[in-house]
Amino acid sequence: MEEKESYTAMPLVSATFIPGHCLEAVQTMKNVRERQIAMAEYYYFIGQPEKAAQETEPLLVSPYIELRLSACLVYAYANLATGHLDRSIHALNEIQSTAEAMDENVSPQLRATASWLSRTAAVLLHLPPKDSTSYNMKDLNLLTPGLRAFVCYVQAHYAYLKEDYGMSLGIIETALAFQQETYPIPGIYLHLAATMDYMSLKRTEEAREHMQEAWKLAWPDGLLQPFGEHHGLLGGMVEATFKKDWPEEYKKIIAITYSFSEGWRKIHNPRAGSDVTDKLTTTEFAVAMLAARGWTNQEICDHMDISLHTVKYHISSILRKLDITKRSELKRYMLQ
């Protein structure tokens, strides 16, 4: 049997399926290597990074660029969560070097895929991508529809980091409007990015609506990893949405948050020259993010459905742990 010359990058991200049938979508993929990458993606998105890393490791040296880039991206982020930062850094460097090595002998589709996956690796670590060009519809149209939707999320996230929330929401709304089929994993990330934008704008009802849409796509398959990845950026929305009504899922999300964010900070902080703190609990971090953005104690209390006394207790604990005296000093320890 002849080897296939090209493969679908990030096949599970690129896949359309009915929520609740994610594993079935993986298992019915006809190509063995794409199925292996998709299974690694599945393990990652359900919060089992050890298995994700194990599945991708054999493909890190694949001669097929789509497979190698996909394996490296999953492997890099899986190893953030398991604390193997040397492996994560190696995979991130491999993505960047592969993208930089693309030349005119490579198909435009493959060059676009490599470029966007390299950009993804940087942006999701809140690091400036080497290619700082803006949203490019021409390049996006070279990607598969599912991957295109995901890199729209990456671009929206990049706009969010630049505090251009209107641009971010515009990208998200366009991506969601033009989806002709359901791509659950990009959909989850797009709705979470919209939640981040609306929380930054203090439009909590719209943020809550997008959080619920993300949950509708994620819950049937247990795709909890994205919520843990974005916990700090969601402005207490995880606590407000899940703590009472979905206690078991909430515990899993918080466990994912702790393991992922520890590795994320260890790579992000030295590269970005940042002081994103690791001294706070997840609830304290959520409160601190809101306080750093100018929310009053009463607003935090109403949003997170906790007592005013509890908010004041958290604020006091946060200031003490960070060895600061003013709320205005919080911002340098928080996520952007």
Side-chain angles (χ1 to χ4, degrees):
M1 181 177 176
E2 289 187 4
E3 290 284 0
K4 186 178 178 183
E5 291 185 358
S6 64
Y7 292 84
T8 299
M10 301 298 290
L12 185 56
V13 166
S14 299
T16 178
F17 57 88
I18 298 170
H21 296 269
C22 184
L23 185 56
E24 180 183 342
V26 174
Q27 292 172 336
T28 55
M29 289 182 181
K30 294 180 180 180
N31 185 275
V32 174
R33 289 178 176 83
E34 287 183 359
R35 189 164 66 243
Q36 187 174 353
I37 290 289
M39 183 58 73
E41 293 174 81
Y42 173 73
Y43 283 136
Y44 178 76
F45 291 127
I46 65 171
Q48 295 187 24
E50 298 88 353
K51 289 185 177 180
Q54 184 178 0
E55 287 287 329
T56 50
E57 197 160 11
L59 294 171
L60 296 175
V61 293
S62 172
Y64 301 100
I65 295 174
E66 302 97 328
L67 293 178
R68 186 167 73 250
L69 287 170
S70 301
C72 285
L73 188 61
V74 176
Y75 191 77
Y77 278 84
N79 278 292
L80 282 183
T82 60
H84 295 106
L85 300 188
D86 54 338
R87 300 176 189 176
S88 184
I89 291 169
H90 173 77
L92 291 168
N93 289 340
E94 179 65 22
I95 294 169
Q96 182 176 311
S97 62
T98 299
E100 290 173 348
M102 296 287 102
D103 58 32
E104 293 182 357
N105 295 319
V106 177
S107 71
Q109 290 83 1
L110 188 51
R111 286 202 305 272
T113 297
S115 175
W116 280 108
L117 291 184
S118 175
R119 189 173 178 82
T120 296
V123 169
L124 300 190
L125 279 166
H126 293 195
L127 300 173
K130 281 201 167 186
D131 174 14
S132 59
T133 55
S134 61
Y135 188 62
N136 190 324
M137 180 61 77
K138 181 180 178 181
D139 285 347
L140 284 181
N141 284 337
L142 295 172
L143 306 178
T144 60
L147 187 57
R148 186 188 312 149
F150 187 77
V151 298
C152 283
Y153 150 75
V154 174
Q155 281 297 88
H157 198 127
Y158 185 58
Y160 165 87
L161 294 175
K162 296 173 72 175
E163 300 184 7
D164 192 344
Y165 307 124
M167 172 65 78
S168 180
L169 287 167
I171 294 170
I172 293 164
E173 289 166 4
T174 301
L176 292 172
F178 280 90
Q179 281 189 14
Q180 295 181 340
E181 297 182 89
T182 300
Y183 295 92
I185 291 173
I188 293 166
Y189 280 89
L190 285 164
H191 284 296
L192 290 178
T195 303
M196 290 154 42
D197 289 324
Y198 281 122
M199 286 304 297
S200 297
L201 296 168
K202 295 182 77 170
R203 291 163 62 176
T204 55
E205 286 308 309
E206 288 149 303
R208 195 179 305 276
E209 288 173 7
H210 279 280
M211 191 72 166
Q212 290 170 349
E213 289 302 313
W215 190 240
K216 288 177 186 177
L217 294 170
W219 175 77
D221 294 294
L223 305 175
L224 303 182
Q225 179 72 27
F227 297 86
E229 289 176 0
H230 292 81
H231 175 276
L233 299 172
L234 294 169
M237 193 59 77
V238 169
E239 284 73 14
T241 306
F242 304 130
K243 194 168 185 178
K244 289 183 178 179
D245 295 336
W246 303 89
E248 293 305 312
E249 287 81 358
Y250 172 74
K251 290 177 185 177
K252 291 177 183 177
I253 291 170
I254 296 305
I256 289 169
T257 301
Y258 276 120
S259 60
F260 181 83
S261 61
E262 181 179 356
W264 186 94
R265 280 190 299 264
K266 287 180 179 177
I267 290 182
H268 165 82
N269 284 6
R271 292 190 178 194
S274 174
D275 295 319
V276 176
T277 185
D278 62 355
K279 296 180 180 179
L280 307 180
T281 68
T282 52
T283 300
E284 287 172 339
F285 198 95
V287 170
M289 282 288 289
L290 295 172
R293 292 174 174 176
W295 287 50
T296 67
N297 286 356
Q298 187 63 54
E299 287 173 329
I300 297 170
C301 161
D302 294 340
H303 169 58
M304 297 186 67
D305 194 22
I306 53 180
S307 71
L308 190 58
H309 173 77
T310 300
V311 174
K312 291 178 180 177
Y313 174 82
H314 283 316
I315 293 292
S316 296
S317 176
I318 291 162
L319 296 178
R320 184 177 68 255
K321 287 182 178 181
L322 297 180
D323 194 25
I324 57 178
T325 58
K326 299 177 183 178
R327 292 164 78 114
S328 59
E329 298 177 82
L330 282 172
K331 193 169 184 178
R332 74 170 191 250
Y333 297 102
M334 297 294 104
L335 293 166
Q336 192 169 338

